[in-house]
Amino acid sequence: MTWLIVGAFAMTAAHAAAAGADGAKATDTQGRITFGIDREEYDAQARAAMQVDPIVAKHLGAIRKVALDEAASMDEPGPDVLVFDVEGSRGKGRVTARFITVSPTEEVLGPGTLVMADGATHAIDGNADALAAEDEHDHAHDDEAMLAHGKDLFTRQAREAAQRYPLVQEHIGQIDTFTMNEIGTGAAVGMNTFVFDLVGSKGRGTLEAEFITVSADTERLGKGVLTLQDGRRLPFEGEPRDADEPADDEDATSLFGGMQDNIFTRQARAAAQRYPLVRQHIGTLSAFELDLSASAEAEGADEFVFAVAGDKGRGRLLAEFITVDADTERLGKGVLTLDDGRELAFEGEAPFPGEDERATETDVVDVDEDIEIPETFARQDGIFVLQANAAMQAHPVVKRHIGDIREAAFDREASWAAEGERYIFDLKGSKGAGRLEAEFITVDADSERIGDGELVMADGTRHPLGGQ
């Protein structure tokens, strides 16, 4: 199996898309520059704009890090002139240039200069097409309300959901500011859980809650906790499901083509059907449904939970599923809980004939004539990849753009060839698909964290990861 199903696959803001950025520089109460979209999203767009500029690409190479110099940017004339310190594969430099918004998801570089670390200065001509378009008409912004709040689509809808909730109305009042707490969101338990800092007419606090996608226009507030400025924690159940809201499995079918009928689930069902204990107590399977939340809570990374029913009975199957090859899963240790409450522990199937040999054959993989990947290097089913998956799922940039990870395929060959401690994964999730290349830093025996890196979406959009 070349991919790993991770987490609960829950639905969160599948429709979220970045809005356009306001070119005019403005500051918040702390004197920081504000943008018409989420700051991290704007940084990603600015980075992409610099990366495709021929002068920047020639002298800096592949951009690794960007940092906005806010004080220098505010000192520059013009409402859309920004200053970035940039580190690339060929060197370091400082870009001072206009950044021109051409669409809600794209910035391009206007005229400016690149000053290298050694003092060499290079003129940046800027994007000719964007400059010509500026001469023809004023730059348009499609959503002034969104720009005024400085939020993307998901954040606006989350804000609306929070504002509706009586507990927020009682203690926070009319929301004035609603800012995603990215560190808190990254550390939150649950793939649909986001953390926001709120300030309102009655008080301020931190909201940690599930946000459930109802439609393309609406988020619903789920379970969570409102922590007030005085330290009081007020747990709540969230808004009830609307009568017209589609069931979770209907959402999953529309977005994923049927999460209950993917290649892993079909292979897991075949493994369960082969097993004598299942045939004895459940019979021929008529239903085999993945329990998403229970699977997410299972102790082992290879353990999954299914609700099963057949012509002899029904129950609940918790078991390891072991990948034999691209076409086959094998049932490992587990427990079959019958409808009458009996729990039947089992050892699972014995290894298939030739299974050990097949594993040995893949221990060393040729990358080219001169390079071999040793057996000890990370593998798709190894502990490092499992811990890396957990780190990616918790990362706020991955949450925002990939959503709940559905598939995470480890590119072993590219990772072996990458510099330093960088590893590469192809991701698919509830919001989109992309390729993640990043440093993974060992925290302890049980966890990894993401360092410097980049997420490149399927449409080519690039999002820097930074450290956590």
Side-chain angles (χ1 to χ4, degrees):
M1 187 75 66
T2 59
W3 46 265
L4 176 67
I5 294 183
V6 181
F9 311 124
M11 304 289 299
T12 59
H15 56 277
D22 191 346
K25 290 179 293 193
T27 58
D28 60 15
T29 56
Q30 285 77 44
R32 298 171 301 187
I33 294 178
T34 59
F35 298 93
I37 58 174
D38 175 81
R39 170 62 181 273
E40 192 168 18
E41 176 70 19
Y42 184 83
D43 284 350
Q45 293 181 16
R47 175 177 178 161
M50 290 185 283
Q51 184 65 84
V52 299
D53 183 84
I55 298 299
V56 175
K58 177 181 178 181
H59 296 284
L60 293 182
I63 293 176
R64 300 299 188 193
K65 296 180 181 179
V66 298
L68 176 66
D69 188 327
E70 299 197 15
S73 297
M74 290 304 296
D75 289 340
E76 288 293 328
D80 52 5
V81 178
L82 300 175
V83 181
F84 282 92
D85 290 315
V86 185
E87 180 179 335
S89 58
R90 296 178 182 172
K92 299 180 180 179
R94 189 173 179 87
V95 173
T96 303
R98 290 188 60 206
F99 284 80
I100 305 169
T101 305
V102 297
S103 79
T105 58
E106 184 182 4
E107 294 284 307
V108 298
L109 210 57
T113 57
L114 166 64
V115 180
M116 300 297 292
D118 62 4
T121 301
H122 306 281
I124 297 173
D125 294 331
N127 186 291
D129 292 337
L131 293 170
E134 276 196 322
D135 292 337
E136 295 174 3
H137 58 80
D138 292 332
H139 189 65
H141 299 282
D142 294 328
D143 194 340
E144 294 300 331
M146 187 182 299
L147 297 177
H149 291 299
K151 302 300 176 184
D152 63 13
L153 181 58
F154 167 69
T155 302
R156 288 200 304 124
Q157 294 174 355
R159 176 177 179 150
E160 291 168 1
Q163 186 64 81
R164 287 194 303 266
Y165 203 64
L167 196 67
V168 174
Q169 294 172 10
E170 178 183 353
H171 294 280
I172 303 297
Q174 183 65 35
I175 297 174
D176 295 321
T177 63
F178 188 79
T179 307
M180 181 179 288
N181 185 320
E182 295 185 353
I183 295 176
T185 297
V189 177
M191 297 176 186
N192 293 328
T193 303
F194 294 82
V195 180
F196 291 92
D197 295 321
L198 299 77
V199 178
S201 58
K202 295 182 179 179
R204 62 177 63 219
T206 299
L207 177 70
E208 178 176 340
E210 294 177 334
F211 286 88
I212 301 158
T213 302
V214 176
S215 68
D217 302 316
T218 309
E219 291 289 319
R220 174 167 62 83
L221 193 65
K223 290 184 178 181
V225 176
L226 176 62
T227 303
L228 302 180
Q229 191 176 21
D230 61 10
R232 282 182 294 163
R233 290 171 53 85
L234 308 175
F236 56 85
E237 290 300 312
E239 300 174 285
R241 179 187 296 275
D242 189 83
D244 298 328
E245 183 179 338
D248 290 341
D249 56 352
E250 292 174 2
D251 285 337
T253 298
S254 64
L255 285 177
F256 299 145
M259 280 172 38
Q260 299 293 354
D261 186 29
N262 56 39
I263 185 171
F264 168 74
T265 305
R266 292 195 296 271
Q267 293 174 2
R269 178 172 181 153
Q273 186 64 83
R274 286 192 305 265
Y275 202 64
L277 195 68
V278 174
R279 293 202 304 266
Q280 177 184 351
H281 294 280
I282 305 299
T284 301
L285 291 171
S286 57
F288 189 77
E289 297 183 358
L290 179 64
D291 187 325
L292 303 176
S293 58
S295 296
E297 295 171 359
E299 292 184 0
D302 295 324
E303 289 185 336
F304 296 87
V305 180
F306 292 90
V308 297
D311 55 3
K312 293 182 179 179
R314 61 178 60 239
R316 184 180 180 84
L317 178 70
L318 165 63
E320 294 178 336
F321 286 87
I322 302 161
T323 300
V324 177
D325 54 39
D327 301 315
T328 312
E329 292 287 320
R330 173 166 63 83
L331 193 65
K333 290 184 178 181
V335 177
L336 175 63
T337 303
L338 303 180
D339 232 14
D340 60 11
R342 284 182 293 162
E343 294 186 352
L344 308 175
F346 57 85
E347 290 300 310
E349 299 176 285
F352 283 22
E355 184 176 335
D356 293 338
E357 288 78 359
R358 281 193 291 273
T360 302
E361 290 172 0
T362 60
D363 284 343
V364 176
V365 180
D366 290 332
V367 177
D368 57 33
E369 294 180 355
D370 301 320
I371 300 176
E372 288 187 341
I373 302 178
E375 176 182 355
T376 54
F377 186 63
R379 303 192 59 81
Q380 176 72 43
D381 56 355
I383 186 63
F384 164 74
V385 172
L386 298 176
Q387 293 174 356
N389 271 280
M392 290 186 292
Q393 184 61 80
H395 199 282
V397 176
V398 176
K399 275 190 171 186
R400 179 173 298 121
H401 300 288
I402 298 294
D404 303 323
I405 297 177
R406 185 189 178 200
E407 298 178 16
F410 178 48
D411 191 329
R412 195 165 182 255
E413 294 185 11
S415 298
W416 175 251
E419 296 180 358
E421 297 298 316
R422 298 178 81 85
Y423 296 85
I424 300 169
F425 291 83
D426 291 310
L427 306 178
K428 293 182 181 179
S430 58
K431 296 181 181 179
R435 187 172 177 86
L436 180 143
E437 177 179 348
E439 295 175 346
F440 283 84
I441 302 165
T442 301
V443 177
D444 52 40
D446 300 316
S447 58
E448 295 282 326
R449 69 177 175 85
I450 294 177
D452 182 48
E454 184 177 50
L455 174 64
V456 182
M457 301 300 291
D459 63 2
T461 305
R462 295 174 178 271
H463 305 288
L465 300 173
Q468 280 188 294

